[in-house]
Amino acid sequence: QVPLVETGGGLVQAGESLRLSCAASGSIFSTLSMGWYRQAPGKQRELVALILHTGITNYADSVKGRFTISRDNAKNTVYLQMNNLEPGDTAVYYCNAKKFLWQSGDWGQGTQVTVSS
């Protein structure tokens, strides 16, 4: 189990930006795939962005061009830069870490992002 702590959520207006951070513990961070997921009330948790240990990234269509995932292996941290936020982005955002693609992985506690019109 990899402890994960998300920070950076908050209440913003549409069009503004937020930067989420996920700090991981352990020496195996550089070998892990890291992802940001979100869950809105009444909806399933969905993948927002993924970054593999190789640096390859993947984004949900709804956030392409607006969100950027990155990682700093020296700091054991993954980031999600969220620009031009929309009310539809409102959700609890969770950090996920896993060694293999078939795993469910480890999860952080989540951080609330609320975007008002």
Short mmCIF file of all heavy atoms in Angstrom, two decimals, residues 49-116:
data_model
loop_
_atom_site.label_atom_id
_atom_site.label_comp_id
_atom_site.label_asym_id
_atom_site.label_seq_id
_atom_site.Cartn_x
_atom_site.Cartn_y
_atom_site.Cartn_z
N ALA A 49 -6.87 11.75 -16.03
CA ALA A 49 -5.56 11.78 -16.67
C ALA A 49 -4.70 10.68 -16.08
O ALA A 49 -4.83 10.33 -14.91
CB ALA A 49 -4.89 13.13 -16.49
N LEU A 50 -3.81 10.16 -16.90
CA LEU A 50 -2.92 9.07 -16.49
C LEU A 50 -1.53 9.36 -17.00
O LEU A 50 -1.35 9.85 -18.12
CB LEU A 50 -3.42 7.74 -17.07
CG LEU A 50 -2.59 6.49 -16.80
CD1 LEU A 50 -2.69 6.10 -15.33
CD2 LEU A 50 -3.08 5.34 -17.68
N ILE A 51 -0.54 9.07 -16.18
CA ILE A 51 0.84 9.15 -16.62
C ILE A 51 1.55 7.88 -16.19
O ILE A 51 1.57 7.51 -15.02
CB ILE A 51 1.55 10.42 -16.08
CG1 ILE A 51 2.96 10.52 -16.65
CG2 ILE A 51 1.56 10.48 -14.56
CD1 ILE A 51 3.60 11.90 -16.47
N LEU A 52 2.12 7.18 -17.17
CA LEU A 52 2.83 5.94 -16.91
C LEU A 52 4.23 6.25 -16.39
O LEU A 52 4.70 7.39 -16.46
CB LEU A 52 2.92 5.09 -18.16
CG LEU A 52 1.60 4.77 -18.88
CD1 LEU A 52 1.86 3.83 -20.04
CD2 LEU A 52 0.59 4.17 -17.92
N HIS A 53 4.90 5.22 -15.89
CA HIS A 53 6.25 5.44 -15.38
C HIS A 53 7.21 5.84 -16.49
O HIS A 53 8.26 6.43 -16.21
CB HIS A 53 6.75 4.18 -14.66
CG HIS A 53 7.07 3.04 -15.57
ND1 HIS A 53 8.34 2.85 -16.09
CD2 HIS A 53 6.31 2.04 -16.06
CE1 HIS A 53 8.33 1.77 -16.85
NE2 HIS A 53 7.12 1.27 -16.86
N THR A 54 6.84 5.56 -17.74
CA THR A 54 7.64 5.96 -18.88
C THR A 54 7.45 7.42 -19.27
O THR A 54 8.21 7.95 -20.07
CB THR A 54 7.31 5.09 -20.10
OG1 THR A 54 5.92 5.26 -20.43
CG2 THR A 54 7.57 3.62 -19.81
N GLY A 55 6.41 8.05 -18.72
CA GLY A 55 6.09 9.42 -19.06
C GLY A 55 4.97 9.57 -20.06
O GLY A 55 4.52 10.69 -20.32
N ILE A 56 4.50 8.47 -20.63
CA ILE A 56 3.37 8.51 -21.55
C ILE A 56 2.13 8.97 -20.81
O ILE A 56 1.86 8.52 -19.69
CB ILE A 56 3.14 7.14 -22.19
CG1 ILE A 56 4.33 6.76 -23.07
CG2 ILE A 56 1.85 7.12 -22.99
CD1 ILE A 56 4.26 5.36 -23.62
N THR A 57 1.35 9.86 -21.42
CA THR A 57 0.16 10.40 -20.79
C THR A 57 -1.09 10.07 -21.58
O THR A 57 -1.05 9.80 -22.78
CB THR A 57 0.25 11.92 -20.62
OG1 THR A 57 0.45 12.53 -21.90
CG2 THR A 57 1.41 12.29 -19.71
N ASN A 58 -2.21 10.12 -20.89
CA ASN A 58 -3.51 9.84 -21.46
C ASN A 58 -4.53 10.72 -20.75
O ASN A 58 -4.46 10.89 -19.53
CB ASN A 58 -3.83 8.34 -21.27
CG ASN A 58 -5.26 7.99 -21.60
OD1 ASN A 58 -6.13 8.07 -20.74
ND2 ASN A 58 -5.50 7.58 -22.82
N TYR A 59 -5.49 11.28 -21.51
CA TYR A 59 -6.48 12.18 -20.95
C TYR A 59 -7.88 11.81 -21.39
O TYR A 59 -8.09 11.31 -22.49
CB TYR A 59 -6.23 13.62 -21.39
CG TYR A 59 -4.92 14.20 -20.93
CD1 TYR A 59 -3.79 14.12 -21.74
CD2 TYR A 59 -4.81 14.84 -19.70
CE1 TYR A 59 -2.58 14.64 -21.32
CE2 TYR A 59 -3.61 15.37 -19.28
CZ TYR A 59 -2.50 15.27 -20.09
OH TYR A 59 -1.31 15.80 -19.67
N ALA A 60 -8.84 12.08 -20.52
CA ALA A 60 -10.23 11.99 -20.92
C ALA A 60 -10.51 13.07 -21.96
O ALA A 60 -9.95 14.17 -21.90
CB ALA A 60 -11.14 12.19 -19.71
N ASP A 61 -11.37 12.75 -22.91
CA ASP A 61 -11.68 13.71 -23.97
C ASP A 61 -12.20 15.03 -23.42
O ASP A 61 -11.93 16.09 -24.00
CB ASP A 61 -12.71 13.11 -24.93
CG ASP A 61 -12.14 12.02 -25.81
OD1 ASP A 61 -10.90 11.93 -25.95
OD2 ASP A 61 -12.93 11.24 -26.37
N SER A 62 -12.92 14.98 -22.33
CA SER A 62 -13.54 16.17 -21.78
C SER A 62 -12.54 17.18 -21.22
O SER A 62 -12.89 18.34 -21.02
CB SER A 62 -14.54 15.79 -20.68
OG SER A 62 -13.89 15.10 -19.63
N VAL A 63 -11.31 16.74 -20.97
CA VAL A 63 -10.32 17.64 -20.38
C VAL A 63 -9.13 17.90 -21.28
O VAL A 63 -8.25 18.70 -20.92
CB VAL A 63 -9.82 17.13 -19.01
CG1 VAL A 63 -11.00 16.84 -18.09
CG2 VAL A 63 -8.96 15.88 -19.18
N LYS A 64 -9.07 17.27 -22.43
CA LYS A 64 -7.96 17.47 -23.35
C LYS A 64 -7.84 18.94 -23.74
O LYS A 64 -8.83 19.58 -24.08
CB LYS A 64 -8.12 16.61 -24.60
CG LYS A 64 -7.80 15.15 -24.39
CD LYS A 64 -7.91 14.36 -25.69
CE LYS A 64 -7.53 12.91 -25.48
NZ LYS A 64 -7.67 12.11 -26.73
N GLY A 65 -6.64 19.44 -23.68
CA GLY A 65 -6.39 20.83 -23.99
C GLY A 65 -6.54 21.77 -22.82
O GLY A 65 -6.13 22.93 -22.90
N ARG A 66 -7.13 21.29 -21.73
CA ARG A 66 -7.33 22.12 -20.54
C ARG A 66 -6.51 21.64 -19.35
O ARG A 66 -6.03 22.45 -18.57
CB ARG A 66 -8.80 22.16 -20.15
CG ARG A 66 -9.71 22.74 -21.22
CD ARG A 66 -11.13 22.96 -20.68
NE ARG A 66 -11.76 21.70 -20.28
CZ ARG A 66 -12.21 21.44 -19.06
NH1 ARG A 66 -12.11 22.36 -18.10
NH2 ARG A 66 -12.79 20.28 -18.78
N PHE A 67 -6.38 20.33 -19.21
CA PHE A 67 -5.67 19.75 -18.07
C PHE A 67 -4.33 19.17 -18.52
O PHE A 67 -4.21 18.66 -19.64
CB PHE A 67 -6.48 18.62 -17.43
CG PHE A 67 -7.73 19.05 -16.71
CD1 PHE A 67 -8.21 20.34 -16.81
CD2 PHE A 67 -8.43 18.13 -15.94
CE1 PHE A 67 -9.37 20.73 -16.16
CE2 PHE A 67 -9.58 18.50 -15.28
CZ PHE A 67 -10.06 19.80 -15.38
N THR A 68 -3.36 19.20 -17.63
CA THR A 68 -2.06 18.62 -17.89
C THR A 68 -1.59 17.84 -16.67
O THR A 68 -1.56 18.38 -15.57
CB THR A 68 -1.01 19.69 -18.24
OG1 THR A 68 -1.43 20.44 -19.37
CG2 THR A 68 0.33 19.03 -18.56
N ILE A 69 -1.24 16.58 -16.88
CA ILE A 69 -0.69 15.77 -15.80
C ILE A 69 0.82 15.71 -15.96
O ILE A 69 1.34 15.63 -17.08
CB ILE A 69 -1.30 14.35 -15.79
CG1 ILE A 69 -0.86 13.58 -14.54
CG2 ILE A 69 -0.95 13.57 -17.05
CD1 ILE A 69 -1.60 12.26 -14.34
N SER A 70 1.53 15.77 -14.86
CA SER A 70 2.97 15.68 -14.88
C SER A 70 3.45 15.03 -13.60
O SER A 70 2.69 14.89 -12.64
CB SER A 70 3.61 17.07 -15.04
OG SER A 70 3.26 17.92 -13.96
N ARG A 71 4.71 14.63 -13.58
CA ARG A 71 5.26 14.00 -12.39
C ARG A 71 6.67 14.47 -12.15
O ARG A 71 7.41 14.79 -13.09
CB ARG A 71 5.20 12.46 -12.50
CG ARG A 71 6.09 11.86 -13.58
CD ARG A 71 5.75 10.39 -13.81
NE ARG A 71 6.01 9.58 -12.63
CZ ARG A 71 5.46 8.39 -12.41
NH1 ARG A 71 4.60 7.87 -13.29
NH2 ARG A 71 5.75 7.71 -11.30
N ASP A 72 7.04 14.51 -10.90
CA ASP A 72 8.39 14.84 -10.49
C ASP A 72 8.86 13.69 -9.62
O ASP A 72 8.53 13.62 -8.44
CB ASP A 72 8.43 16.16 -9.73
CG ASP A 72 9.84 16.62 -9.42
OD1 ASP A 72 10.76 15.79 -9.43
OD2 ASP A 72 10.03 17.82 -9.17
N ASN A 73 9.61 12.79 -10.21
CA ASN A 73 10.03 11.59 -9.48
C ASN A 73 10.96 11.92 -8.32
O ASN A 73 11.00 11.19 -7.32
CB ASN A 73 10.71 10.61 -10.44
CG ASN A 73 9.73 9.96 -11.40
OD1 ASN A 73 8.53 9.93 -11.16
ND2 ASN A 73 10.25 9.43 -12.49
N ALA A 74 11.72 12.99 -8.43
CA ALA A 74 12.61 13.40 -7.35
C ALA A 74 11.83 13.82 -6.11
O ALA A 74 12.34 13.74 -4.99
CB ALA A 74 13.52 14.53 -7.80
N LYS A 75 10.59 14.28 -6.30
CA LYS A 75 9.75 14.72 -5.20
C LYS A 75 8.63 13.73 -4.88
O LYS A 75 7.80 14.00 -4.01
CB LYS A 75 9.14 16.08 -5.50
CG LYS A 75 10.16 17.20 -5.64
CD LYS A 75 9.47 18.52 -5.91
CE LYS A 75 10.48 19.65 -5.99
NZ LYS A 75 9.82 20.96 -6.25
N ASN A 76 8.59 12.61 -5.59
CA ASN A 76 7.52 11.62 -5.40
C ASN A 76 6.14 12.28 -5.50
O ASN A 76 5.24 12.01 -4.69
CB ASN A 76 7.66 10.92 -4.05
CG ASN A 76 8.66 9.78 -4.08
OD1 ASN A 76 9.50 9.68 -4.98
ND2 ASN A 76 8.58 8.89 -3.10
N THR A 77 5.97 13.12 -6.49
CA THR A 77 4.75 13.91 -6.60
C THR A 77 4.23 13.91 -8.03
O THR A 77 5.01 14.01 -8.99
CB THR A 77 4.98 15.36 -6.14
OG1 THR A 77 5.44 15.35 -4.78
CG2 THR A 77 3.70 16.17 -6.21
N VAL A 78 2.91 13.81 -8.16
CA VAL A 78 2.25 13.96 -9.44
C VAL A 78 1.33 15.17 -9.35
O VAL A 78 0.75 15.43 -8.30
CB VAL A 78 1.48 12.68 -9.84
CG1 VAL A 78 0.36 12.39 -8.85
CG2 VAL A 78 0.94 12.80 -11.26
N TYR A 79 1.22 15.92 -10.45
CA TYR A 79 0.44 17.14 -10.48
C TYR A 79 -0.66 17.06 -11.53
O TYR A 79 -0.54 16.34 -12.52
CB TYR A 79 1.32 18.34 -10.81
CG TYR A 79 2.52 18.51 -9.90
CD1 TYR A 79 3.76 18.00 -10.26
CD2 TYR A 79 2.40 19.17 -8.69
CE1 TYR A 79 4.85 18.14 -9.43
CE2 TYR A 79 3.50 19.32 -7.86
CZ TYR A 79 4.72 18.81 -8.23
OH TYR A 79 5.80 18.96 -7.40
N LEU A 80 -1.70 17.82 -11.30
CA LEU A 80 -2.73 18.01 -12.31
C LEU A 80 -3.00 19.50 -12.42
O LEU A 80 -3.61 20.09 -11.52
CB LEU A 80 -4.02 17.26 -11.96
CG LEU A 80 -5.11 17.32 -13.02
CD1 LEU A 80 -4.68 16.57 -14.28
CD2 LEU A 80 -6.43 16.75 -12.50
N GLN A 81 -2.52 20.09 -13.49
CA GLN A 81 -2.79 21.49 -13.77
C GLN A 81 -4.12 21.59 -14.50
O GLN A 81 -4.27 21.02 -15.59
CB GLN A 81 -1.68 22.10 -14.61
CG GLN A 81 -1.89 23.56 -14.98
CD GLN A 81 -1.85 24.48 -13.77
OE1 GLN A 81 -0.97 24.34 -12.93
NE2 GLN A 81 -2.79 25.39 -13.68
N MET A 82 -5.07 22.29 -13.92
CA MET A 82 -6.41 22.39 -14.48
C MET A 82 -6.66 23.85 -14.86
O MET A 82 -6.76 24.72 -14.00
CB MET A 82 -7.46 21.91 -13.48
CG MET A 82 -7.22 20.50 -12.97
SD MET A 82 -8.55 19.90 -11.89
CE MET A 82 -8.33 21.00 -10.50
N ASN A 83 -6.77 24.10 -16.16
CA ASN A 83 -7.02 25.44 -16.67
C ASN A 83 -8.41 25.54 -17.26
O ASN A 83 -9.01 24.53 -17.65
CB ASN A 83 -5.98 25.80 -17.74
CG ASN A 83 -4.57 25.87 -17.20
OD1 ASN A 83 -4.36 26.23 -16.04
ND2 ASN A 83 -3.60 25.56 -18.05
N ASN A 84 -8.91 26.76 -17.33
CA ASN A 84 -10.23 27.02 -17.91
C ASN A 84 -11.28 26.07 -17.34
O ASN A 84 -12.01 25.40 -18.07
CB ASN A 84 -10.17 26.90 -19.43
CG ASN A 84 -11.38 27.48 -20.12
OD1 ASN A 84 -12.07 28.34 -19.57
ND2 ASN A 84 -11.66 27.00 -21.33
N LEU A 85 -11.36 26.04 -16.04
CA LEU A 85 -12.28 25.13 -15.37
C LEU A 85 -13.73 25.44 -15.70
O LEU A 85 -14.10 26.59 -15.91
CB LEU A 85 -12.07 25.18 -13.86
CG LEU A 85 -10.82 24.43 -13.38
CD1 LEU A 85 -10.40 24.90 -12.00
CD2 LEU A 85 -11.10 22.93 -13.37
N GLU A 86 -14.53 24.39 -15.75
CA GLU A 86 -15.94 24.47 -16.08
C GLU A 86 -16.76 23.89 -14.93
O GLU A 86 -16.25 23.07 -14.16
CB GLU A 86 -16.24 23.68 -17.36
CG GLU A 86 -15.41 24.12 -18.55
CD GLU A 86 -15.54 23.18 -19.74
OE1 GLU A 86 -16.16 22.10 -19.59
OE2 GLU A 86 -15.03 23.53 -20.82
N PRO A 87 -18.03 24.29 -14.80
CA PRO A 87 -18.87 23.71 -13.75
C PRO A 87 -18.92 22.19 -13.79
O PRO A 87 -19.02 21.54 -12.75
CB PRO A 87 -20.24 24.32 -14.03
CG PRO A 87 -19.93 25.64 -14.64
CD PRO A 87 -18.72 25.39 -15.50
N GLY A 88 -18.82 21.60 -14.98
CA GLY A 88 -18.82 20.15 -15.13
C GLY A 88 -17.60 19.48 -14.54
O GLY A 88 -17.59 18.25 -14.39
N ASP A 89 -16.57 20.25 -14.21
CA ASP A 89 -15.39 19.69 -13.58
C ASP A 89 -15.57 19.50 -12.07
O ASP A 89 -14.69 18.94 -11.42
CB ASP A 89 -14.18 20.59 -13.82
CG ASP A 89 -13.82 20.70 -15.29
OD1 ASP A 89 -13.87 19.66 -15.99
OD2 ASP A 89 -13.49 21.81 -15.74
N THR A 90 -16.66 19.99 -11.52
CA THR A 90 -16.91 19.87 -10.09
C THR A 90 -16.98 18.40 -9.69
O THR A 90 -17.78 17.64 -10.24
CB THR A 90 -18.21 20.58 -9.71
OG1 THR A 90 -18.08 21.98 -9.96
CG2 THR A 90 -18.54 20.36 -8.24
N ALA A 91 -16.16 18.02 -8.74
CA ALA A 91 -16.07 16.63 -8.30
C ALA A 91 -15.04 16.53 -7.19
O ALA A 91 -14.31 17.48 -6.92
CB ALA A 91 -15.68 15.71 -9.46
N VAL A 92 -14.99 15.37 -6.58
CA VAL A 92 -13.88 15.03 -5.71
C VAL A 92 -12.82 14.38 -6.57
O VAL A 92 -13.10 13.42 -7.30
CB VAL A 92 -14.30 14.09 -4.57
CG1 VAL A 92 -13.09 13.71 -3.72
CG2 VAL A 92 -15.37 14.74 -3.70
N TYR A 93 -11.62 14.89 -6.50
CA TYR A 93 -10.52 14.38 -7.31
C TYR A 93 -9.63 13.49 -6.47
O TYR A 93 -9.21 13.87 -5.37
CB TYR A 93 -9.71 15.54 -7.89
CG TYR A 93 -10.40 16.20 -9.06
CD1 TYR A 93 -11.54 16.97 -8.86
CD2 TYR A 93 -9.92 16.04 -10.36
CE1 TYR A 93 -12.19 17.55 -9.93
CE2 TYR A 93 -10.57 16.63 -11.43
CZ TYR A 93 -11.71 17.38 -11.21
OH TYR A 93 -12.35 17.97 -12.28
N TYR A 94 -9.33 12.31 -7.00
CA TYR A 94 -8.55 11.32 -6.30
C TYR A 94 -7.28 10.99 -7.06
O TYR A 94 -7.29 10.88 -8.28
CB TYR A 94 -9.34 10.01 -6.13
CG TYR A 94 -10.59 10.13 -5.30
CD1 TYR A 94 -11.81 10.40 -5.89
CD2 TYR A 94 -10.55 9.96 -3.92
CE1 TYR A 94 -12.97 10.49 -5.14
CE2 TYR A 94 -11.70 10.05 -3.16
CZ TYR A 94 -12.90 10.31 -3.77
OH TYR A 94 -14.05 10.40 -3.02
N CYS A 95 -6.23 10.79 -6.33
CA CYS A 95 -4.97 10.32 -6.87
C CYS A 95 -4.91 8.81 -6.77
O CYS A 95 -5.37 8.23 -5.79
CB CYS A 95 -3.81 10.96 -6.10
SG CYS A 95 -2.17 10.54 -6.70
N ASN A 96 -4.35 8.17 -7.78
CA ASN A 96 -4.24 6.71 -7.82
C ASN A 96 -2.84 6.30 -8.23
O ASN A 96 -2.23 6.92 -9.10
CB ASN A 96 -5.27 6.13 -8.79
CG ASN A 96 -5.11 4.64 -9.00
OD1 ASN A 96 -4.48 4.19 -9.95
ND2 ASN A 96 -5.69 3.86 -8.09
N ALA A 97 -2.36 5.25 -7.60
CA ALA A 97 -1.04 4.71 -7.92
C ALA A 97 -1.12 3.21 -8.09
O ALA A 97 -1.76 2.53 -7.29
CB ALA A 97 -0.05 5.05 -6.81
N LYS A 98 -0.48 2.69 -9.13
CA LYS A 98 -0.45 1.25 -9.32
C LYS A 98 0.78 0.83 -10.11
O LYS A 98 1.28 1.58 -10.95
CB LYS A 98 -1.72 0.73 -9.99
CG LYS A 98 -2.08 1.37 -11.31
CD LYS A 98 -3.46 0.89 -11.75
CE LYS A 98 -3.93 1.58 -13.00
NZ LYS A 98 -5.32 1.14 -13.35
N LYS A 99 1.20 -0.38 -9.83
CA LYS A 99 2.37 -0.93 -10.48
C LYS A 99 2.03 -1.64 -11.78
O LYS A 99 2.84 -1.65 -12.72
CB LYS A 99 3.09 -1.89 -9.52
CG LYS A 99 4.45 -2.34 -9.99
CD LYS A 99 5.13 -3.16 -8.91
CE LYS A 99 6.52 -3.59 -9.34
NZ LYS A 99 7.19 -4.39 -8.28
N PHE A 100 0.85 -2.25 -11.84
CA PHE A 100 0.41 -2.98 -13.01
C PHE A 100 -0.93 -2.44 -13.47
O PHE A 100 -1.77 -2.04 -12.67
CB PHE A 100 0.29 -4.47 -12.71
CG PHE A 100 1.56 -5.09 -12.21
CD1 PHE A 100 1.73 -5.37 -10.86
CD2 PHE A 100 2.59 -5.38 -13.09
CE1 PHE A 100 2.90 -5.93 -10.40
CE2 PHE A 100 3.77 -5.95 -12.63
CZ PHE A 100 3.93 -6.22 -11.28
N LEU A 101 -1.17 -2.50 -14.77
CA LEU A 101 -2.38 -1.93 -15.36
C LEU A 101 -3.64 -2.63 -14.89
O LEU A 101 -4.70 -2.00 -14.85
CB LEU A 101 -2.29 -1.98 -16.88
CG LEU A 101 -1.20 -1.12 -17.53
CD1 LEU A 101 -1.21 -1.31 -19.04
CD2 LEU A 101 -1.39 0.35 -17.18
N TRP A 102 -3.55 -3.90 -14.54
CA TRP A 102 -4.73 -4.66 -14.12
C TRP A 102 -5.10 -4.45 -12.66
O TRP A 102 -6.16 -4.92 -12.23
CB TRP A 102 -4.51 -6.16 -14.39
CG TRP A 102 -3.22 -6.71 -13.88
CD1 TRP A 102 -2.06 -6.87 -14.58
CD2 TRP A 102 -2.94 -7.17 -12.55
NE1 TRP A 102 -1.08 -7.42 -13.78
CE2 TRP A 102 -1.60 -7.61 -12.52
CE3 TRP A 102 -3.71 -7.26 -11.38
CZ2 TRP A 102 -1.00 -8.13 -11.37
CZ3 TRP A 102 -3.11 -7.77 -10.23
CH2 TRP A 102 -1.78 -8.20 -10.24
N GLN A 103 -4.28 -3.75 -11.91
CA GLN A 103 -4.56 -3.51 -10.51
C GLN A 103 -5.54 -2.36 -10.32
O GLN A 103 -5.62 -1.45 -11.15
CB GLN A 103 -3.28 -3.18 -9.75
CG GLN A 103 -2.30 -4.31 -9.62
CD GLN A 103 -1.07 -3.91 -8.84
OE1 GLN A 103 -0.41 -2.92 -9.19
NE2 GLN A 103 -0.75 -4.65 -7.79
N SER A 104 -6.26 -2.38 -9.20
CA SER A 104 -7.08 -1.25 -8.83
C SER A 104 -6.22 -0.13 -8.24
O SER A 104 -6.55 1.05 -8.36
CB SER A 104 -8.16 -1.66 -7.83
OG SER A 104 -7.58 -2.20 -6.66
N GLY A 105 -5.13 -0.51 -7.61
CA GLY A 105 -4.17 0.45 -7.11
C GLY A 105 -4.53 1.01 -5.74
O GLY A 105 -5.49 0.60 -5.09
N ASP A 106 -3.73 1.96 -5.32
CA ASP A 106 -3.93 2.65 -4.05
C ASP A 106 -4.50 4.03 -4.30
O ASP A 106 -4.22 4.66 -5.32
CB ASP A 106 -2.60 2.76 -3.29
CG ASP A 106 -2.02 1.41 -2.92
OD1 ASP A 106 -2.79 0.55 -2.46
OD2 ASP A 106 -0.81 1.21 -3.10
N TRP A 107 -5.30 4.50 -3.35
CA TRP A 107 -6.03 5.75 -3.51
C TRP A 107 -5.74 6.73 -2.40
O TRP A 107 -5.54 6.34 -1.24
CB TRP A 107 -7.54 5.49 -3.54
CG TRP A 107 -7.99 4.66 -4.69
CD1 TRP A 107 -8.09 3.30 -4.74
CD2 TRP A 107 -8.38 5.14 -5.98
NE1 TRP A 107 -8.53 2.90 -5.97
CE2 TRP A 107 -8.71 4.01 -6.75
CE3 TRP A 107 -8.49 6.41 -6.55
CZ2 TRP A 107 -9.14 4.11 -8.07
CZ3 TRP A 107 -8.92 6.51 -7.86
CH2 TRP A 107 -9.24 5.37 -8.60
N GLY A 108 -5.76 8.00 -2.74
CA GLY A 108 -5.68 9.05 -1.74
C GLY A 108 -7.06 9.34 -1.16
O GLY A 108 -8.06 8.73 -1.54
N GLN A 109 -7.11 10.28 -0.23
CA GLN A 109 -8.36 10.62 0.43
C GLN A 109 -9.28 11.47 -0.45
O GLN A 109 -10.49 11.49 -0.22
CB GLN A 109 -8.09 11.38 1.73
CG GLN A 109 -7.32 10.58 2.77
CD GLN A 109 -8.22 9.73 3.63
OE1 GLN A 109 -9.08 8.99 3.14
NE2 GLN A 109 -8.03 9.82 4.94
N GLY A 110 -8.74 12.13 -1.42
CA GLY A 110 -9.52 12.98 -2.31
C GLY A 110 -9.49 14.44 -1.91
O GLY A 110 -9.32 14.77 -0.73
N THR A 111 -9.66 15.30 -2.89
CA THR A 111 -9.74 16.73 -2.64
C THR A 111 -10.88 17.32 -3.47
O THR A 111 -11.03 16.99 -4.65
CB THR A 111 -8.39 17.43 -2.95
OG1 THR A 111 -8.46 18.81 -2.60
CG2 THR A 111 -8.01 17.30 -4.42
N GLN A 112 -11.68 18.16 -2.85
CA GLN A 112 -12.88 18.69 -3.49
C GLN A 112 -12.53 19.86 -4.41
O GLN A 112 -11.84 20.79 -4.01
CB GLN A 112 -13.88 19.16 -2.44
CG GLN A 112 -15.14 19.81 -3.00
CD GLN A 112 -16.06 18.82 -3.68
OE1 GLN A 112 -16.35 17.76 -3.12
NE2 GLN A 112 -16.53 19.16 -4.88
N VAL A 113 -13.05 19.78 -5.63
CA VAL A 113 -12.96 20.88 -6.58
C VAL A 113 -14.37 21.31 -6.93
O VAL A 113 -15.17 20.51 -7.39
CB VAL A 113 -12.21 20.48 -7.86
CG1 VAL A 113 -12.29 21.58 -8.91
CG2 VAL A 113 -10.75 20.16 -7.54
N THR A 114 -14.68 22.57 -6.68
CA THR A 114 -16.00 23.11 -6.99
C THR A 114 -15.83 24.31 -7.91
O THR A 114 -15.10 25.25 -7.59
CB THR A 114 -16.74 23.52 -5.72
OG1 THR A 114 -16.86 22.40 -4.84
CG2 THR A 114 -18.13 24.03 -6.05
N VAL A 115 -16.52 24.27 -9.04
CA VAL A 115 -16.44 25.34 -10.03
C VAL A 115 -17.82 25.96 -10.17
O VAL A 115 -18.77 25.29 -10.58
CB VAL A 115 -15.95 24.82 -11.38
CG1 VAL A 115 -15.77 25.99 -12.36
CG2 VAL A 115 -14.65 24.05 -11.22
N SER A 116 -17.93 27.23 -9.85
CA SER A 116 -19.20 27.93 -9.93
C SER A 116 -19.32 28.68 -11.25
O SER A 116 -18.32 29.05 -11.87
CB SER A 116 -19.35 28.90 -8.76
OG SER A 116 -18.34 29.90 -8.80
#
